Amino acid sequence: MGNESYGKKRFKRSRSHFADRITADGRDGWPVEAGRYRLVVSLACPWAGRVLVARRLLGLESALSLGITDPIQDDRSWRFTLDPDGRDPVLGIRYLSEAYEAREKDAPGGVSVPAIVDVPSGRLVTNDFQQITLDLATEWTELHRPGAPDLYPRALRAEIDEVMEDVFQDLNNGVYRAGFATGQEEYERACRDVFRRLDALTRRLADRRYLVGDTLTEADIRLFTTLVRFDAVYHGHFKCNRYKLSENPVLWAYARDLFQTPGFGDTVDFDHIKRHYYRVHRGINPTGVVPLGPDTDGWTTPHGRERLGGRPFGEGTPPGAP
């Protein structure tokens, strides 16, 4: 999709075409191996943001190297113009599309992040944003840091999956359905879904610190990466403006609690987020003007959620400094 076409055609999120899994037993041909793979992300992207948080919490930085793209795409999609000579220093490529093409020429679904690339061959392994973080939590355990939390505890998986599915349909993806809507009814339906889910989450989180159980889980990660972008881009740019996150006392406190937890806020770059959405989505924002606000200082103010108890890392410990 070219930058000018955003908001001009009906939005439908593509399923990940490359859904191979990197597993402990290597059953898809990709065994877990320290140093073999490179994670490519945009700091602007909420789907990539999930992987950044999980990677930090689990202590996989040394095992899974990181490539960061320019937040501004051109029509060949994600590019490595932030690196010297405009090339990823490990993969040696200028565009992420080169790793896609090395795997399969003219593959459907476009070039997306997060993406994990096999360094020796330069081929894309997976862009399955729904599965990557789950596999980091459950298949990469031998490479986890001492004290890494269990982000997908077996006893709670059914409840975590149910919560994540509702959040995905109405909120994670719902903001895009609203923002890229091409007609009034389509927009209103999506926007109502967004706020119906935010209202339901407000009720759920009013008396509990985390979404499922008393520790951080994958469900919190997936909600956080949407909430942290809400006031900066979804409220104005995507017209999800019934209220701001900062006007909802429960969700604003919950989001600040996570932001101030090691592994969450230290993966966020508001500059990349705003420049990507406002400058790339020319079909919605033709001028490419990036707003000055909102003020982000509030993210570090006291949240008071400690009173609800909970143990952020369970029996584990927080990650070290990034």
Side-chain angles (χ1 to χ4, degrees), residues 45 70 88 116 125 135 139 155 168 173 189 251-252 265 284:
C45 173
D70 192 315
D88 180 87
I116 297 183
V125 176
D135 283 343
E139 297 288 340
F168 171 75
N173 201 46
R189 185 165 53 250
L251 294 183
W252 178 224
I284 300 173

Side-chain angles (χ1 to χ4, degrees), residues 13-21 46-48 50-51 112-114 126-138 152 160-161 164-169 172-173 218 222-223 225:
R13 184 163 301 284
S14 301
R15 295 187 64 178
S16 299
H17 179 68
F18 298 100
D20 286 3
R21 296 174 60 189
W47 319 104
R50 299 173 175 187
V51 190
S112 64
V113 288
T126 178
N127 65 350
D128 190 351
F129 64 93
Q130 298 282 50
Q131 188 63 43
I132 288 173
T133 47
L134 299 181
D135 283 343
L136 291 184
T138 60
Y152 196 46
I160 291 171
D161 289 346
M164 292 194 305
E165 179 62 19
D166 289 342
V167 168
F168 171 75
Q169 294 295 344
N172 299 147
N173 201 46
E218 174 76 13
R222 295 190 181 194
L223 177 55
T225 58

Side-chain angles (χ1 to χ4, degrees), residues 38-45 48 52 66-74 76-83 86-89 91 93-97 100 111-115 117 269 272-273 275-276:
R38 187 155 177 84
L39 169 65
V40 178
V41 304
S42 163
L43 299 180
C45 173
L52 287 173
L66 180 65
I68 298 175
T69 66
D70 192 315
I72 310 302
Q73 297 165 280
D74 65 18
R76 286 192 60 183
S77 196
W78 302 106
R79 51 192 185 157
F80 294 103
T81 48
L82 302 181
D83 294 304
R87 292 183 182 274
D88 180 87
L91 300 173
I93 56 178
R94 294 188 181 276
Y95 288 88
L96 179 57
S97 60
Y100 276 67
V111 178
S112 64
V113 288
V117 179
D269 189 312
H272 277 226
I273 290 168
R275 284 197 291 129
H276 169 73

